[in-house]
């Protein structure tokens, strides 16, 4: 087991056995990963830059097509089976895991992909509510499970966008495209720098002697709960006010730090700080890509610390446990840089650590965080993993 996750063969066997008990032996297996974001936080919905990597925690789905329009889905995490008709998908979010399945089915049908009924068995390795994108991994795995066995070919980019739409419309979080994109396009061994406006991306290999260590504060985050959507509204308010002075801007992506400072007085103080985070974070992603490409982990690490400070002070999406994890990391073995990752308000930090020190780093972080808070953190030592795929892998699936 790595990070508490079973070897893929065992998970495949487990799914086959469960599917066999419930639905029969004819099925295919799909999986989509969670992610960690190395840098570029709360920039995706501002048309900016992000740099996530997929991690080796997957949502797995065994699936078979049915001849009718009924979806039956069993979640082994929730030990619950839901049944609904593809002809009755509408309705508000129910705050239930089935919203993701219903949402994906509804957005694909809405986009003209006529689905068939299906039987699904879902198994997830991605920690829920930890900011590691369990939602997008479920959406993307569901999208493959509902389309591939039904013989429906959906290009990956469209698939990622429809999954984002599913979350926006059926779960109620106004998330950007980052999580669904990395779950769809991640490549093992590389981080992915994405321009969230053009949706062009670049794979940047992560040197083999580095590890992405994820420290879970064990504080559950909840971004459908309002703060996330409020930050997004703050950014939109900032763009509206700045556009009176900078005609032609469409998003904070179009604003530079000099312009922002020039028109500082046109913005309420809080809105100014929200904008300053986004504008400076976009620049940090571009700088971080150069640092990673030129073999400068120290430089990359400094940008991670600066990103965290900006998220804590300007964007106000950190919390005391995440701040503590970053502070403890800064004096732990092998560290280059640390920051909160994902939407915030709890969840995880990402730490760039020298591989040979990863075990010592993990041990020290576990000890010092527990001493300070009484909470035992979960710590995962990760390398960039592969994006969504049929399992065992079928090359033809990605287009
Ligand atoms: C969440 C969202 F789903 C992403 O789209 C992104 O905005 C992230 O928070 C913050 O960078 O994961």
């Amino acid at each position: 087991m790595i990070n508490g996750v079973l070897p893929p063969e065992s998970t495949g066997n487990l799914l086959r056995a469960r599917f066999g008990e419930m639905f029969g032996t004819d099925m295919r297996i799909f999986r989509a990963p969670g992610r960690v974001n190395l840098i570029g936080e709360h920039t995706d919905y501002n048309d900016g830059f992000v740099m996530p990597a997929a991690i080796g925690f997957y949502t797995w789905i065994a699936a078979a097509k049915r001849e009718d329009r009924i979806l039956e889905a069993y979640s082994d995490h929730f030990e619950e089976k839901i049944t609904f008709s593809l002809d009755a998908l509408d309705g508000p979010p129910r705050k239930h895991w089935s919203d993701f399945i219903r949402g994906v089915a509804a957005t694909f049908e809405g986009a003209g992909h006529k689905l068939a009924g299906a039987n699904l068995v879902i198994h997830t390795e991605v920690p829920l509510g930890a900011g590691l994108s369990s939602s997008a991994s479920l959406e993307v795995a569901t999208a493959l499970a509902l389309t591939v066995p039904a013989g429906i070919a959906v290009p990956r980019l469209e698939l990622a966008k429809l999954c984002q739409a599913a979350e926006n419309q059926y779960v109620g979080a106004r998330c950007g495209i980052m999580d669904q994109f990395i779950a769809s396009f991640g490549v093992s061994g590389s981080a992915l720098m994405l321009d969230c406006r053009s949706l062009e991306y670049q794979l940047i290999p992560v040197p083999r002697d580095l590890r992405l260590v994820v420290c879970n504060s064990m504080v559950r985050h909840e971004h459908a709960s309002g703060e996330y959507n409020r930050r997004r509204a703050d950014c939109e308010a900032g763009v509206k006010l700045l556009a009176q002075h900078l005609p032609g801007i469409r998003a904070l992506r179009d604003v530079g730090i000099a312009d922002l400072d020039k028109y500082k007085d046109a913005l309420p103080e809080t809105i100014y700080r929200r904008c300053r985070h986004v504008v400076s974070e976009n620049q940090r992603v571009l700088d971080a890509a150069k640092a990673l490409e030129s073999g400068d982990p120290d430089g990359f690490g400094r940008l991670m610390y600066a990103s965290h400070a900006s998220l804590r002070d300007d964007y106000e999406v950190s919390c005391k446990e995440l701040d503590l994890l970053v502070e403890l990391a800064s004096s732990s073995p092998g560290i280059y840089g640390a920051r909160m990752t994902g939407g915030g308000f709890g969840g995880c930090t990402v730490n760039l650590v020298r591989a040979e020190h990863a075990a010592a780093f993990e041990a020290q972080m576990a000890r010092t965080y527990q001493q300070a808070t009484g909470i035992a953190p979960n710590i995962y030592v990760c390398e960039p993993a592969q994006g969504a795929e049929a399992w065992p892998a079928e090359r033809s699936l990605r287009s």
Side-chain angles (χ1 to χ4, degrees):
M1 285 226 257
I2 299 176
N3 294 322
V5 167
L6 289 173
E9 292 69 26
S10 310
T11 305
N13 291 339
L14 204 126
L15 267 174
R16 265 187 217 106
R18 173 74 73 188
F19 197 93
E21 281 161 24
M22 302 187 77
F23 300 116
T25 50
D26 185 15
M27 69 163 125
R28 290 169 75 180
I29 296 180
F30 304 91
R31 60 180 201 163
R35 62 96 190 94
V36 70
N37 188 18
L38 299 188
I39 197 156
E41 218 64 83
H42 290 276
T43 44
D44 60 350
Y45 53 81
N46 289 296
D47 277 4
F49 301 99
V50 294
M51 199 194 292
I55 51 177
F57 294 85
Y58 290 85
T59 296
W60 294 69
I61 304 187
K65 179 182 168 212
R66 295 170 56 127
E67 294 311 319
D68 55 18
R69 299 263 298 157
I70 299 298
L71 268 183
E72 275 192 67
Y74 174 78
S75 158
D76 70 357
H77 178 87
F78 293 103
E79 298 183 351
E80 187 185 10
K81 187 164 87 171
I82 49 135
T83 303
F84 52 84
S85 162
L86 289 170
D87 297 313
L89 293 170
D90 274 343
R94 294 167 198 176
K95 307 249 177 265
H96 186 266
W97 63 269
S98 60
D99 286 346
F100 295 97
I101 316 295
R102 194 169 59 97
V104 170
T107 48
F108 277 67
E109 285 258 318
H113 300 294
K114 185 93 178 140
L115 302 175
N119 294 325
L120 311 177
V121 169
I122 304 167
H123 169 80
T124 188
E125 300 162 349
V126 190
L128 303 185
L132 299 177
S133 194
S134 57
S135 309
S137 77
L138 174 56
E139 289 151 11
V140 171
T142 300
L144 290 182
L146 294 183
T147 54
V148 179
I152 301 168
V154 182
R156 273 295 156 107
L157 184 56
E158 184 186 350
L159 185 140
K161 285 181 177 173
L162 289 175
C163 288
Q164 180 200 7
E167 181 144 354
N168 291 166
Q169 293 162 26
Y170 286 84
V171 182
R174 293 186 66 207
C175 66
I177 188 72
M178 171 169 72
D179 300 349
Q180 292 77 12
F181 198 96
I182 186 66
S184 304
F185 286 94
V187 170
S188 137
S190 289
L192 183 154
M193 185 172 82
L194 174 66
D195 177 336
C196 298
R197 172 170 281 169
S198 68
L199 299 181
E200 281 167 8
Y201 69 95
Q202 185 193 344
L203 293 170
I204 309 181
V206 173
R208 303 294 301 266
D209 61 350
L210 296 179
R211 291 292 177 274
L212 312 176
V213 183
V214 177
C215 296
N216 189 342
S217 68
M218 312 306 275
V219 177
R220 278 180 75 88
H221 83 135
E222 205 40 89
H223 54 67
S225 70
E227 283 300 324
Y228 181 93
N229 291 348
R230 263 196 283 283
R231 291 300 178 283
R232 201 171 164 155
D234 286 349
C235 293
E236 287 161 1
V239 171
K240 233 185 185 158
L241 291 167
L242 287 166
Q244 294 171 11
H245 307 275
L246 300 165
I249 64 164
R250 282 162 45 209
L252 287 177
R253 153 68 174 273
D254 302 312
V255 180
I257 204 80
D259 276 336
L260 181 64
D261 280 341
K262 190 163 165 198
Y263 298 111
K264 181 176 177 182
D265 295 341
L267 303 175
E269 198 264 342
T270 304
I271 303 285
Y272 168 71
R273 283 190 291 112
R274 305 291 189 247
C275 295
R276 183 167 63 182
H277 164 70
V278 174
V279 170
S280 62
E281 184 80 348
N282 275 331
Q283 187 57 49
R284 280 189 287 273
V285 180
L286 298 174
D287 294 344
K290 284 191 199 130
L292 196 55
E293 280 170 326
S294 64
D296 176 15
D298 286 303
F300 196 99
R302 280 193 294 276
L303 292 160
M304 292 174 82
Y305 287 126
S307 168
H308 185 79
S310 177
L311 287 156
R312 181 192 60 210
D313 302 335
D314 278 355
Y315 219 62
E316 295 180 284
V317 290
S318 186
C319 63
K320 62 181 190 323
E321 291 84 356
L322 290 171
D323 296 343
L324 176 67
L325 281 171
V326 169
E327 191 196 315
L328 295 172
S330 68
S331 56
S332 294
I335 187 75
Y336 288 110
R339 57 183 288 280
M340 56 154 277
T341 187
F345 309 108
C348 297
T349 59
V350 56
N351 302 266
L352 191 67
V353 178
R354 258 188 108 76
E356 65 196 38
H357 294 301
F361 177 86
E362 178 179 353
Q364 181 158 323
M365 288 298 290
R367 185 171 45 78
T368 52
Y369 185 70
Q370 182 153 19
Q371 262 167 9
T373 60
I375 305 170
N378 285 343
I379 300 181
Y380 320 112
V381 179
C382 302
E383 293 176 71
Q386 189 66 18
E389 58 189 4
W391 194 89
E394 294 168 24
R395 285 199 173 280
S396 57
L397 267 191
R398 214 179 257 208
S399 59

